[in-house]
Amino acid sequence: MRYTLTLMGALLATTAQADEFLMRADVMAATVFLNGVARIERQVSVAVPAGAHEVLFAVAPGVWMEAPQVTGTGDARIGALSVEDGYRIEEGALDSEDVAAARAAIAEIEGDIDALEAEIAEASAAVQAAALQRRYLEGVTAGGDNAAPFPSDPDLLAQMLTTLGAQMALVADAARRAEAARNDLIDDLRERQGDLADAQAALAALLPFGEQVRIVRVPVVAASDTVLDLSLIHFSTGANWRPEAQFRLDSEAGEVTVSRDIVLSQNSAERWRDVAVAVSTADPARPRAPVEVASRPARIMDPTEPRVTGGVGLFSADQAPTAEFAEPVMVVAETATMQTVGASFTYSFTDPVSIAPQESSRQAMAPLVFEVALSNQANPRRDDTAFSMAALENDSGEPILPGLATFYRDGELLGDGFVDLVADGASVDLAFGALDHLLLSWRDLSLDEGEEGVFTRSDTQARSLEFSVENTSDEGAEVRLLYALPFAEQEELEVDLDLSLEPDARDVDGARGVAAWDLTLAPGARRTIRMDVEFSWPEGQVLVWTP
């Protein structure tokens, strides 16, 4: 049977004398959402005898918990949990296997250092003993009151000098060997001290528990001796994920391959060890309910009257906000209604993840391959060359997630950029770089350079423009040339437009005035389009237009 948290007055009354079962509670599973919130699950298993007890989930100090709850299995009732900080434990009492191994490595190195220091002390004593013997022999042969008497017999004198010389040589050799041994030991000591620093740093990187932990105290009443399998689930911040992608265009095959990665990072107060990780496109922070619709009556008023909203005067006449600032609530509401709610997707990492704070882990996803419609697009008013475009329809059954992407065309790196969300079933036009063989030009034939877009107060204006595309390659090419033609929305403004070549499409993609010419260019060919336009308007007004 599986139980959830319930409040039991009788249980709470008996927990003062309850046995405590302190358990390390590492992260076992995590689902990370796009807004930096993660759903964390921790599990413990503990055998308890019949009666009232408390199971303590121990986590690192500073771990943030939101909405914690405990569920479990076993012959027991589970009471209301509480979270406590500063619970004292013996250092090392809750070490994980890797932390215990790191502590054991430190202890071994410290033992080696103690042994080396003892050997160095013995070697130093040997060096000092050799130095003492040498000073004694030097004193014997130095002469003076403390010098040894030398025999007058030449044979005995020679024998004595030989003996003293041999002793001096032995003492000097012993001193050299003792000094060398001590130096070797000192070198070994320095090496082990370096190993100790590395081992201590390795232990610190594992974020071991110190002498205080945060605990989640869970009271339980076991009806019999039983094994409790408990799960602590809570939300936390400090974990994030982002999608990254590579878009590779194969012009020959007319295909785009999308290689995708998920990059996971976390900056919590604890290290994740072998955690089952999933990432989700869901956003728990999104509004759960629609914005309330309030009545908005229309009113007329004298400009000098206070502005009224809902019957309450808010501003005096000289404090009235501008029209752009007057309706902030309406703007927010309309923006909220424009949000679309698509299906959320969850991606699970294949292998368990081990990741420390400030680190990241990358997981490759299955690539997606799309057939695309290729075209060459030219904007001669703004660009020097045409660009390669690929029209992609996402029929993969899952969205292409928004994020940083790198683009390649036929193996050539083009650069990177940000790709917006492409929902399942949606279409997108992707740009795959400049086409240097399709050169563009634009000229204003009616004005000197630098005078375009000027304001004029005459009641007529005539302009002549031309724009062109040239194919400098030795192969034919098709290109769609786009240009924003002038148009008028005011009856008083008349526009007389003449084009040397009628466009193949007008108001392209719903943009009024944008025209398109679908051109086929032979090798070395150039196509030029001339536009003559004349504006007329009432005297006293001005024309605002930029070609």
Side-chain angles (χ1 to χ4, degrees):
M1 180 178 292
R2 191 167 183 84
Y3 299 92
T4 56
L5 281 177
T6 57
L7 180 62
M8 298 174 293
L11 172 62
L12 296 178
T14 60
T15 54
Q17 304 299 323
D19 293 331
E20 291 183 348
F21 294 86
L22 181 65
M23 308 293 294
R24 182 185 181 100
D26 289 329
V27 178
M28 301 297 293
T31 300
V32 184
F33 302 97
L34 276 176
N35 64 354
V37 172
R39 179 184 182 275
I40 303 297
E41 181 174 357
R42 307 169 189 270
Q43 299 174 355
V44 300
S45 182
V46 56
V48 300
H53 312 286
E54 290 181 331
V55 178
L56 311 183
F57 287 76
V59 300
V63 169
W64 184 75
M65 293 185 178
E66 182 73 19
Q69 57 180 319
V70 171
T71 60
T73 59
D75 190 14
R77 292 176 296 166
I78 303 174
L81 61 81
S82 60
V83 180
E84 302 175 17
D85 289 315
Y87 187 88
R88 302 191 66 84
I89 63 170
E90 182 180 350
E91 188 173 35
L94 294 176
D95 282 351
S96 59
E97 291 184 3
D98 52 354
V99 171
R103 289 192 195 274
I106 290 176
E108 180 181 354
I109 296 172
E110 288 175 338
D112 292 344
I113 289 175
D114 291 341
L116 285 169
E117 288 176 341
E119 293 183 53
I120 289 172
E122 293 180 4
S124 297
V127 170
Q128 293 173 356
L132 180 62
Q133 292 176 7
R134 184 170 185 170
R135 287 196 298 273
Y136 173 76
L137 292 174
E138 289 173 347
V140 168
T141 59
D145 295 339
N146 295 326
F150 288 91
S152 56
D153 186 336
D155 293 335
L156 294 176
L157 178 61
Q159 183 178 357
M160 182 177 182
L161 291 175
T162 300
T163 301
L164 289 173
Q167 289 298 314
M168 287 288 287
L170 290 173
V171 169
D173 182 62
R176 284 193 300 272
R177 285 187 285 106
E179 188 72 31
R182 185 177 65 177
N183 290 340
D184 288 343
L185 290 169
I186 291 174
D187 289 342
D188 292 343
L189 175 63
R190 289 172 178 165
E191 182 178 350
R192 294 304 278 165
Q193 287 173 334
D195 294 340
L196 178 61
D198 293 341
Q200 290 171 334
L203 174 62
L206 296 176
L207 301 179
F209 288 166
E211 296 181 352
Q212 292 186 1
V213 294
R214 164 174 273 198
I215 63 167
V216 176
R217 187 183 296 271
V218 182
V220 298
V221 174
S224 62
D225 295 353
T226 187
V227 174
L228 297 178
D229 293 316
L230 303 178
S231 293
L232 168 64
I233 297 174
H234 64 90
F235 289 89
S236 179
T237 58
N240 286 281
W241 72 279
R242 68 179 187 273
E244 292 186 1
Q246 294 181 349
F247 288 76
R248 297 180 180 271
L249 170 64
D250 184 337
S251 300
E252 183 102 8
E255 290 182 345
V256 168
T257 300
V258 184
S259 302
R260 304 171 298 161
D261 289 331
I262 292 174
V263 181
L264 172 73
S265 62
Q266 69 105 350
N267 189 27
S268 66
E270 58 189 332
R271 188 181 186 93
W272 290 7
R273 299 174 177 85
D274 296 330
V275 175
V277 173
V279 297
S280 173
T281 61
D283 184 357
R286 289 184 67 176
R288 182 182 55 84
V291 176
E292 183 178 353
V293 179
S295 59
R296 301 175 64 87
R299 294 185 176 90
I300 58 174
M301 63 186 69
D302 188 273
T304 60
E305 294 181 8
R307 182 174 178 83
V308 177
T309 300
V312 180
L314 299 179
F315 301 95
S316 63
D318 60 344
Q319 295 175 323
T322 65
E324 296 167 315
F325 185 72
E327 305 289 352
V329 175
M330 179 186 70
V331 172
V332 172
E334 290 178 354
T335 301
T337 58
M338 290 177 62
Q339 295 179 354
T340 58
V341 181
S344 298
F345 284 81
T346 299
Y347 303 92
S348 298
F349 282 30
T350 303
D351 300 318
V353 175
S354 295
I355 181 174
Q358 308 293 342
E359 290 184 352
S360 61
S361 175
R362 184 179 295 268
Q363 176 78 13
M365 301 172 62
L368 305 175
V369 180
F370 301 96
E371 293 184 359
V372 294
L374 298 179
S375 63
N376 303 324
Q377 184 169 299
N379 178 2
R381 183 62 184 91
R382 300 299 178 188
D383 297 324
D384 296 325
T385 71
F387 286 81
S388 177
M389 304 295 294
L392 180 152
E393 180 182 355
N394 182 9
D395 54 3
S396 65
E398 59 181 290
I400 299 175
L401 300 177
L404 185 66
T406 307
F407 292 84
Y408 297 82
R409 184 180 71 212
D410 299 327
E412 177 187 359
L413 174 64
L414 301 175
D416 55 24
F418 191 87
V419 175
D420 292 326
L421 173 71
V422 184
D424 179 37
S427 298
V428 63
D429 290 328
L430 300 173
F432 282 91
L435 299 170
D436 293 329
H437 65 285
L438 294 176
L439 302 181
L440 309 179
S441 64
W442 179 90
R443 286 201 313 161
D444 188 343
L445 304 177
S446 54
L447 292 176
D448 293 335
E449 185 178 356
E451 294 183 352
E452 60 177 275
V454 296
F455 294 87
T456 178
R457 291 190 176 276
S458 64
D459 57 1
T460 62
Q461 183 181 129
R463 302 289 285 271
S464 295
L465 314 169
E466 70 176 20
F467 40 90
S468 63
V469 54
E470 180 182 5
N471 177 16
T472 63
S473 72
D474 56 2
E475 296 182 359
E478 295 183 354
V479 60
R480 165 163 273 209
L481 188 149
L482 299 170
Y483 200 88
L485 303 177
F487 65 94
E489 294 180 332
Q490 299 166 298
E491 292 183 2
E492 298 86 355
L493 177 60
E494 296 182 6
V495 179
D496 185 9
L497 178 66
D498 183 42
L499 296 168
S500 63
L501 180 65
E502 282 299 309
D504 295 288
R506 293 179 180 267
D507 298 340
V508 177
D509 295 332
R512 188 174 179 187
V514 176
W517 289 262
D518 297 319
L519 306 176
T520 300
L521 300 177
R526 178 188 183 97
R527 294 293 299 273
T528 300
I529 299 172
R530 177 172 174 133
M531 180 179 78
D532 295 294
V533 59
E534 183 174 341
F535 302 93
S536 60
W537 61 91
E539 188 175 353
Q541 296 183 329
V542 297
L543 172 68
V544 181
W545 173 72
T546 300

